[in-house]
Amino acid sequence: MTPDKFFSLVLALQTRPETTVAAIAAETGSSERTVQRDLRWLQDAGFPVVLRRGRYGGVFMLPGGTLDMTRLTPGERDQLALNGLDDEQRRRLGVAEEGGRARRKVAARAGNDLLAVNDLVVSDNRPWFGREPTGTSPAALIGDLRSGARLKILYAREGGEPRWRTVDPYGLLAKGGRWYLIADELGKARMWNLARVERWDALRVPRRLRPGAGLAATARELTERWDAGGGLEVRFVLKDRQRGRAERIFGSRLALGEAAEPGWTHAVLRCHVVDEVCQLLSFGDSATVLDPPEAREKVRELAAGILAHYGD
């Protein structure tokens, strides 16, 4: 197994909450027998990988599952990435003696009396409502990202036609069950949803990142900016019995304030554009928009359209 295939296997497990041996084999270009062998090695090495047989079985890694890398030397970390190479290949790479120590260190906390992960987790590979991820796979893209090259991606904005964009990539971000490419376009950082990346080409020029910028800091900046919502604050009052539902739907975009009249609470919803006020329509008469005026007007417009659609 080459280093790229090793990382492809790990990324395949992180691409979706559950997958199958067959899907991983197709994604990594390996046989199902090879995938099963490599998954067993990952379990032995300390990854909390769960394999469940049967019609609705699958393969997944418990959230937050990583190796205890703090105990490994740089050479031992390399050896873990190169697992699967034969002894001669390891010798040529200068990591032949690191393998045993790496295995022992990452497995040191696992005693012989511990229960198997498979016996402690129930897996159901059927989705509730969501569809299988489409677009570009992180495992397919990782090889070109590791080359440090600038990318040209065919990207489709929501509701728009796909067009080619030239970007300088930092790397990948997994957020909320989706994968994003973090990359600069014309010197400005953006998140690119991999589900909308239809094709890509690695250019023969190195990426050009902003001085001092890195993946972790850039991803954090982008996600915090998005989580905080846009610059438009929609003020409304909400019935108290709907508070829990509103918090689940809007998360950090919602700020609940002081009580209004009995049974009602003042609230603020941070939006990127005024059209997002439509999300309050699902609350019916349990939410009343107060301001800004354009948000109230948008609600009137949407409500009138619904009435016209369903009216006699």
Side-chain angles (χ1 to χ4, degrees):
M1 181 169 62
T2 64
D4 282 346
K5 282 194 174 182
F6 175 88
F7 289 114
S8 294
L9 176 61
V10 175
L11 278 174
L13 291 170
Q14 297 175 336
T15 300
R16 52 188 67 92
E18 288 103 7
T19 184
T20 63
V21 170
I24 295 175
E27 191 168 333
T28 61
S30 304
S31 68
E32 292 187 24
R33 178 175 293 183
T34 298
V35 169
Q36 290 174 336
R37 182 200 66 197
D38 293 336
L39 289 172
R40 285 193 294 270
W41 184 89
L42 287 178
Q43 288 182 316
D44 293 340
F47 283 93
V49 175
V50 178
L51 292 85
R52 184 69 62 188
R53 297 183 182 276
R55 180 180 178 186
Y56 296 119
V59 182
F60 69 98
M61 187 186 300
L62 295 182
T66 57
L67 285 170
D68 181 9
M69 301 295 281
T70 61
R71 294 156 49 84
L72 304 181
T73 67
E76 289 168 344
R77 294 191 190 102
D78 290 342
Q79 193 282 331
L80 286 175
L82 300 173
N83 177 65
L85 301 180
D86 60 33
D87 290 340
E88 177 59 22
Q89 290 171 316
R90 289 183 182 143
R91 187 191 64 78
R92 292 177 182 176
L93 292 170
V95 295
E97 297 181 0
E98 306 282 359
R101 292 200 298 271
R103 278 176 174 266
R104 287 192 296 273
K105 284 186 178 181
V106 297
R109 296 184 179 180
N112 294 330
D113 297 331
L114 293 182
L115 299 175
V117 174
N118 283 2
D119 295 335
L120 302 174
V121 180
V122 173
S123 168
D124 187 336
N125 202 35
R126 294 169 296 180
W128 285 108
F129 307 109
R131 295 176 294 179
E132 280 291 305
T134 58
T136 295
S137 160
L141 188 60
I142 194 67
D144 285 327
L145 292 179
R146 296 183 70 201
S147 72
R150 174 176 282 186
L151 299 181
K152 193 174 182 181
I153 61 175
L154 184 61
Y155 191 77
R157 286 181 176 271
E158 187 172 1
E161 291 295 321
R163 67 185 185 92
W164 288 98
R165 321 286 286 264
T166 300
V167 301
D168 296 292
Y170 293 91
L172 297 173
L173 166 70
K175 176 77 171 175
R178 299 180 181 178
W179 282 91
Y180 298 88
L181 173 68
I182 304 297
D184 286 347
E185 183 184 37
L186 300 177
K188 184 176 180 180
R190 279 193 54 192
M191 293 192 300
W192 308 83
N193 190 337
L194 289 195
R196 297 180 187 169
V197 177
E198 298 186 3
R199 288 173 51 196
W200 80 93
D201 289 325
L203 304 181
R204 295 184 177 180
V205 294
R207 62 181 183 173
R208 300 172 187 172
L209 304 180
R210 289 171 290 123
L215 173 60
T218 303
R220 183 170 58 252
E221 175 189 350
L222 290 171
T223 54
E224 287 177 352
R225 186 189 310 164
W226 184 260
D227 286 344
L232 177 65
E233 291 190 346
V234 175
R235 301 183 181 277
F236 64 103
V237 289
L238 179 71
K239 280 190 177 178
D240 289 344
R241 60 183 174 82
Q242 294 285 357
R243 288 170 58 115
R245 177 168 169 251
E247 289 175 321
R248 290 193 301 273
I249 293 175
F250 300 123
S252 61
R253 296 171 53 206
L254 177 71
L256 296 174
E258 298 178 352
E261 58 186 276
W264 293 78
T265 298
H266 285 286
V268 175
L269 179 66
R270 290 183 290 275
C271 300
H272 295 88
V273 293
V274 72
D275 285 356
E276 291 179 3
V277 76
C278 69
Q279 296 171 330
L280 289 173
L281 289 180
S282 65
F283 291 86
D285 60 359
S286 295
T288 302
V289 175
L290 303 177
D291 67 319
E294 59 267 30
R296 286 180 58 86
E297 182 58 34
K298 188 65 179 180
V299 171
R300 290 194 193 97
E301 176 188 325
L302 293 169
I306 292 172
L307 183 61
H309 181 72
Y310 287 101
D312 293 332

